[in-house]
Amino acid sequence: MIPLLLLSLSIVPFHTTTLLFLESLLEPFTYEFFTNAILVSILVGGVCGLMGVYIVLRGMSYIGHGMSHAVFGGAVVSYIAGFNFYLGAAVWGFVSAYLINEITRRNKIKADAAIGVVTTAGFAIGVLLISTTRSYTRNFEALLFGNILGITDQDIAVIVLVTCITASFIFFYQKRLLFTLFDKETAKVYGVRTDMVELFFSLILAAVVIASMSSVGVTLIAAAIIAPAISARMLTNNFMKMVVASTIIGILTAFLGMYSSYFLDSASGATIVLFGTAAFGISSLYAYIRRLYQTHTHEKFIRHSHPHIHEGEHMHKHRS
Amino acid sequence: MTDNRSEAAVVSQIEVDDVAYGYAPHKPVLENVSVKIPKGRFVGLLGPSGSGKSTLLKIIIGLHKPWKGTIKFLGNKNSDPYAYSSKNIGYVPQVESIDWNFPVTVKEVIGMGIWDRSGVAPWFSKDVDMMVGVILDDLGIYNSEFRNRQIRELSGGEQQRVFLARALIRKPTILVLDEPISGVDFNTREKIMEILRSLNQDLDMTILMTTHDLGGIGKRLPWVICMNKTIIAEGIPSTILTKDNLLRTYGLADYND
């Protein structure tokens, strides 16, 4: 929308109103709080998009949701007790991550059900404490729904650190992660410490959730993690491309969401999530159209679709 | 084709001694399992489903820790079960255990087999590409496009060969396969059996595979072990697949081809 406007404006001769309009587009960047918010949301978007790929392919989309709710309890406890927010949330978050990881490994109860109980309990503790202290302040609202105004230097430092840790973990553990996700048993036989890989992954996910809380908010983090990854899944069948696409979609939707929330005066987390949903809608549509275009029938009336060039007499062979 | 090396002269490469295991307490799937597998033997584990043959494979490769009993490997001094298996064993799991819609290519799946020998980079390098090419050539797949195909586009026989390639790229001395010929057509089955036979004869690879296909495969293996919760009989098929043994293994008096 905005680029289109810019394009149309470039044709019209520049006059005062145009300049004023351009100025107003750049206006948010003159505020330090906004440049900080953009920086944080881009990093959050990228890191959530990156982690999302592995979570979606592991078939554990609910884990981001669970983790964020569990961490909320810790955050409230540290607010009320007067600890440093990140310290309290980190301790609580890593304990929950460890518990979730253990529950997932033991399969007596279905993991999603068990995680649902454990993590919602964490959330309930937070809500309970808030209700008894009767100090429902803006801070808690920010935790729940995200707030761009409240970003501090500490928030920036934390998200930069978490981004570095996540990126290097994915870089060095990519093959092990992929192998564990695809075929855990064989990975184990071939010397991958799958328990460690899964534990590290859970701990890093907890760190990502904690770092994302201030800008996206507890209730919306799950969507920020899942939306870019499923959008990327619609666009490509190639794992590496999916990782890159998901990260870029995460960054883009976070930027667009944060930027437009300035003009719409809307909650940043919600706006980012809606942009993510839009990205999923667009990529689904793209995948649908591509499939329509590629679906064709051969002599034996087998309808199928795969990428190929339609030209000439449309000759290509299929292996049965 | 019979195994004519005498039992005393050969050293056993895998030695399973009095193993018991179960998935739930007090409900053993395996009891009193003892078996010795000499180097270079091609062994088929026969038994009905639920007889514990896959479980025995998983104990041998270190995926399950037995309740009691021990697993010994020739020349292994390390007590960590994975330390030996990761160096010496190639494992081919049941294709049914895999999500074939997972967005990876043939090359990536085979490359997983050498995740620890292909550098720290997160992607699979040119070297891996070359090694994958060599392995696929060995398995009779000469199409250079094949390695870039998505695994969900593969037929049952191709899936099986991709998994075999992932095991062979590690240059194992023991090959362990869980139902390698279930759900494939006759021609593919014959092709896979041919590959396994030549690995066994040309490279002296010890091969251990499970199968429930008694008539088609079991009868033609050089050596079979009949089991149902415990070892019932072992030896060459012509002497082992007797009415009595089959009754004890499968609970049926005879079988049709």
Side-chain angles (χ1 to χ4, degrees):
Chain A
M1 189 66 184
I2 291 159
L4 268 179
L5 276 174
L6 278 174
L7 193 74
S8 62
L9 284 171
S10 65
I11 318 167
V12 197
F14 270 61
H15 50 79
T16 6
T17 42
T18 325
L19 279 176
L20 273 176
F21 180 72
L22 275 178
E23 238 168 65
S24 72
L25 282 184
L26 294 172
E27 183 204 312
F29 294 102
T30 57
Y31 299 107
E32 201 196 338
F33 84 85
F34 187 76
T35 46
N36 282 349
I38 283 283
L39 175 70
V40 167
S41 55
I42 284 176
L43 291 175
V44 164
V47 119
C48 286
L50 182 59
M51 292 296 276
V53 173
Y54 299 90
I55 290 169
V56 165
L57 290 181
R58 202 176 168 192
M60 297 186 76
S61 301
Y62 56 89
I63 214 170
H65 187 79
M67 194 82 87
S68 56
H69 282 70
V71 168
F72 178 76
V76 173
V77 168
S78 46
Y79 260 124
I80 288 170
F83 298 145
N84 177 298
F85 160 70
Y86 284 113
L87 205 67
V91 171
W92 188 292
F94 289 151
V95 171
S96 332
Y98 178 76
L99 285 177
I100 289 174
N101 194 53
E102 285 299 300
I103 291 171
T104 317
R105 279 179 34 187
R106 290 150 215 247
N107 44 11
K108 192 150 189 182
I109 313 168
K110 280 265 178 157
D112 55 347
I115 288 170
V117 172
V118 170
T119 58
T120 314
F123 188 72
I125 291 173
V127 174
L128 186 107
L129 284 175
I130 292 172
S131 66
T132 52
T133 50
R134 293 176 196 290
S135 59
Y136 188 81
T137 60
R138 191 160 175 79
N139 279 336
F140 295 131
E141 205 183 305
L143 276 183
L144 284 171
F145 306 115
N147 177 17
I148 56 166
L149 296 168
I151 286 166
T152 61
D153 287 350
Q154 193 192 355
D155 293 333
I156 297 174
V158 168
I159 184 66
V160 168
L161 183 73
V162 167
T163 305
C164 292
I165 293 173
T166 309
S168 26
F169 171 71
I170 298 288
F171 187 90
F172 291 112
Y173 272 71
Q174 150 65 15
K175 282 180 203 154
R176 273 170 274 195
L177 260 173
L178 182 63
F179 202 173
T180 307
L181 281 180
F182 177 66
D183 183 359
K184 191 162 141 187
E185 288 197 334
T186 312
K188 243 186 219 176
V189 177
Y190 292 174
V192 178
R193 303 277 308 270
T194 53
D195 298 355
M196 293 309 258
V197 170
E198 286 181 333
L199 182 62
F200 284 160
F201 187 83
S202 297
L203 294 180
I204 284 170
L205 180 64
V208 168
V209 165
I210 293 164
S212 310
M213 241 171 171
S214 55
S215 58
V216 187
V218 167
T219 46
L220 304 168
I221 285 175
I225 291 174
I226 305 308
I230 53 173
S231 308
R233 183 74 187 90
M234 290 287 154
L235 297 179
T236 178
N237 281 322
N238 180 307
F239 186 80
M240 284 317 246
K241 280 187 193 155
M242 187 180 163
V243 170
V244 174
S246 178
T247 310
I248 291 173
I249 292 171
I251 292 173
L252 230 78
T253 52
F255 175 82
L256 290 174
M258 188 57 92
Y259 186 67
S260 37
S261 76
Y262 177 89
F263 295 101
L264 299 170
D265 199 17
S266 55
S268 55
T271 320
I272 290 173
V273 164
L274 287 177
F275 268 95
T277 316
F280 177 58
I282 293 168
S283 53
S284 305
L285 192 69
Y286 168 78
Y288 176 69
I289 291 170
R290 187 183 51 183
R291 202 166 50 240
L292 274 187
Y293 180 69
Q294 286 169 353
T295 301
H296 51 264
T297 313
H298 290 273
E299 314 92 77
K300 287 178 184 167
F301 304 105
I302 305 162
R303 277 173 72 76
H304 63 273
S305 104
H306 61 93
H308 64 268
I309 304 159
H310 285 257
E311 59 181 13
E313 290 169 37
H314 185 91
M315 292 283 282
H316 62 270
K317 281 184 180 160
H318 290 270
R319 295 154 64 97
S320 56
Chain B
M1 188 170 43
T2 54
D3 194 310
N4 50 16
R5 284 166 284 200
S6 79
E7 196 68 12
V10 283
V11 260
S12 42
Q13 186 166 29
I14 308 169
E15 206 174 313
V16 179
D17 187 33
D18 196 24
V19 158
Y21 182 79
Y23 295 97
H26 312 299
K27 281 184 189 161
V29 178
L30 295 174
E31 271 179 318
N32 310 319
V33 175
S34 296
V35 64
K36 289 176 184 176
I37 298 167
K39 184 161 170 41
R41 182 168 279 174
F42 187 171
V43 185
L45 271 177
L46 298 180
S49 48
S51 60
K53 47 191 197 309
S54 289
T55 309
L56 180 58
L57 284 195
K58 287 179 183 176
I59 289 173
I60 290 174
I61 60 181
L63 281 174
H64 298 316
K65 199 169 179 285
W67 286 353
K68 64 172 233 186
T70 55
I71 312 289
K72 281 185 208 139
F73 294 103
L74 177 65
N76 180 35
K77 292 179 188 77
N78 203 316
S79 58
D80 178 3
Y82 296 133
Y84 183 86
S85 62
S86 73
K87 274 202 201 75
N88 299 283
I89 294 179
Y91 174 53
V92 178
Q94 285 189 39
V95 288
E96 284 83 5
S97 67
I98 297 299
D99 171 14
W100 291 97
N101 271 320
F102 204 91
V104 283
T105 59
V106 167
K107 181 172 99 179
E108 284 165 331
V109 171
I110 301 176
M112 286 174 195
I114 41 169
W115 70 273
D116 49 350
R117 304 173 195 175
S118 53
V120 287
W123 48 83
F124 294 99
S125 65
K126 285 252 153 43
D127 292 352
V128 175
D129 197 45
M130 222 182 64
M131 290 167 80
V132 168
V134 171
I135 290 288
L136 287 176
D137 275 358
D138 289 349
L139 294 180
I141 300 172
Y142 303 108
N143 181 358
S144 61
E145 271 304 295
F146 183 78
R147 72 188 76 163
N148 294 320
R149 281 170 62 185
Q150 288 289 320
I151 54 162
R152 64 162 171 188
E153 298 165 8
L154 304 180
S155 68
E158 287 169 336
Q159 292 175 346
Q160 205 55 261
R161 272 185 283 181
V162 167
F163 268 11
L164 194 54
R166 184 181 65 180
L168 295 177
I169 204 168
R170 290 185 77 80
K171 309 253 174 278
T173 51
I174 303 170
L175 190 60
V176 174
L177 309 100
D178 202 353
E179 297 285 353
I181 39 177
S182 73
V184 298
D185 59 59
F186 177 79
N187 286 330
T188 312
R189 189 183 81 184
E190 292 308 303
K191 233 177 261 172
I192 290 169
M193 287 311 292
E194 189 47 50
I195 292 167
L196 293 180
R197 258 192 293 272
S198 79
L199 286 170
N200 174 243
Q201 285 170 356
D202 304 343
L203 302 174
D204 200 29
M205 206 177 274
T206 308
I207 298 179
L208 183 57
M209 63 176 265
T210 58
T211 180
H212 57 247
D213 186 355
L214 191 58
I217 294 302
K219 272 189 355 186
R220 291 155 49 205
L221 288 170
W223 193 271
V224 291
I225 298 175
C226 290
M227 65 177 294
N228 195 345
K229 216 172 169 186
T230 188
I231 306 289
I232 289 168
E234 74 162 309
I236 52 173
S238 54
T239 56
I240 290 309
L241 300 180
T242 60
K243 215 170 177 179
D244 183 45
N245 280 338
L246 290 175
L247 190 64
R248 284 163 64 207
T249 310
Y250 289 87
L252 43 92
D254 63 14
Y255 62 95
N256 301 314
D257 273 15

